[in-house]
Amino acid sequence: MKFFIDTANLAHIKDANDLGILDGVTTNPSLMAKEGIKGNDAILNHYKTICELVDGDISAEVLSVTFDEMVAEGKILAAIHPNIVVKIPMTKDGIKAIKWFSDNGIRTNCTLVFSAGQAILAAKAGATYLSPFIGRLDDTNWDGVDLIAQIANIYAIQGFETQILAASIRNPLHIVKCAEAGADVCTCPLSSILGLLKHPLTDIGLAQFIEDAKKM
Ligand code: G3P
């Protein structure tokens, strides 16, 4: 399973990248706004900076909602760097745009996915990545990890090549459960990635080893 970081925060991206286990970055308009990135030039420059920091796929989301505008905007985003993946929302125009990009050799990440039906449609359109938002499903009393397992099963049976990119990860256990359920990628906040490190018995064991090492 690939590890992406889900943020537009450069310090978090550097921190995760320094671990040596980072395969890419996902962003969205909310994450970009949170970092105070405003205006067209600033947005494009920010993506360029992320591409220079991380050697992996970088999702850049379109802000428009109509097919023509998404295609025009996606072409500009894709021209920033070969690692850019154009992120497109799961809408009727979005599916048309994903098909257009797929036919024209531009990779896509279909976002805001909450059902297996949407996952089938995105795969048929040729999406490179599919982003089911598992945390937001959990928030509404649906099991987000169950959806990952269902989509993984459908994609395996049908031979779809779209990669399942589990998104809206809220904690380290989400990452473990998504790995079990067959996600190809998990995109996580830095806190969830670092949370995987933690176990109290590791801390206790290390403290003991350090203490005993003094007696050696
Ligand atoms: O990758 C999607 C993610 O950014 C949404 O996360 O926590 O806002 O549901 P969240």
Side-chain angles (χ1 to χ4, degrees):
M1 187 172 76
K2 289 188 272 188
F3 267 58
F4 289 179
I5 187 163
D6 192 29
T7 185
N9 181 288
L10 297 180
H12 285 196
I13 292 170
K14 277 187 202 138
D15 208 353
N17 201 38
D18 285 350
L19 282 173
I21 51 91
L22 195 64
D23 300 299
V25 181
T26 53
T27 60
N28 63 39
S30 308
L31 295 171
M32 293 287 276
K34 198 171 156 195
E35 298 308 314
I37 317 296
K38 259 192 194 159
N40 237 5
D41 287 351
I43 293 169
L44 299 183
N45 278 333
H46 201 72
Y47 287 136
K48 193 162 174 277
T49 306
I50 295 174
C51 289
E52 284 160 2
L53 276 176
V54 177
D55 183 19
D57 287 347
I58 314 297
S59 286
E61 186 157 344
V62 297
L63 305 178
S64 40
V65 291
T66 65
F67 169 75
D68 288 336
E69 286 172 330
M70 282 193 258
V71 166
E73 199 185 338
K75 280 191 211 166
I76 293 169
L77 292 171
I80 297 172
H81 192 279
N83 288 351
I84 288 283
V85 176
V86 181
K87 203 168 174 188
I88 309 270
M90 165 47 73
T91 61
K92 193 174 171 191
D93 281 51
I95 286 297
K96 281 169 68 181
I98 288 167
K99 178 74 172 93
W100 189 92
F101 285 121
S102 165
D103 288 346
N104 286 275
I106 293 176
R107 295 176 309 142
T108 54
N109 173 357
C110 181
T111 190
L112 289 167
V113 170
F114 295 94
S115 76
Q118 292 176 327
I120 291 169
L121 212 46
K124 285 291 291 176
T128 314
Y129 292 107
L130 177 91
S131 290
F133 277 29
I134 70 162
R136 291 192 193 183
L137 274 172
D138 287 357
D139 290 344
T140 58
N141 281 325
W142 290 69
D143 191 325
V145 172
D146 273 359
L147 177 63
I148 299 293
Q150 187 185 17
I151 296 170
N153 190 35
I154 292 170
Y155 280 10
I157 290 168
Q158 298 297 333
F160 287 133
E161 287 176 5
T162 299
Q163 295 177 58
I164 304 167
L165 192 169
S168 184
I169 297 285
R170 302 279 174 75
N171 55 59
L173 192 56
H174 267 156
I175 302 175
V176 174
K177 291 287 178 191
C178 284
E180 275 183 330
D184 299 289
V185 190
C186 247
T187 189
C188 329
L190 182 63
S191 56
S192 298
I193 297 174
L194 296 180
L196 291 173
L197 289 166
K198 291 193 199 320
H199 197 288
L201 291 178
T202 304
D203 299 339
I204 293 166
L206 184 61
Q208 184 72 57
F209 284 156
I210 290 170
E211 205 46 46
D212 289 344
K214 291 178 194 159
K215 303 172 196 161
M216 286 166 62

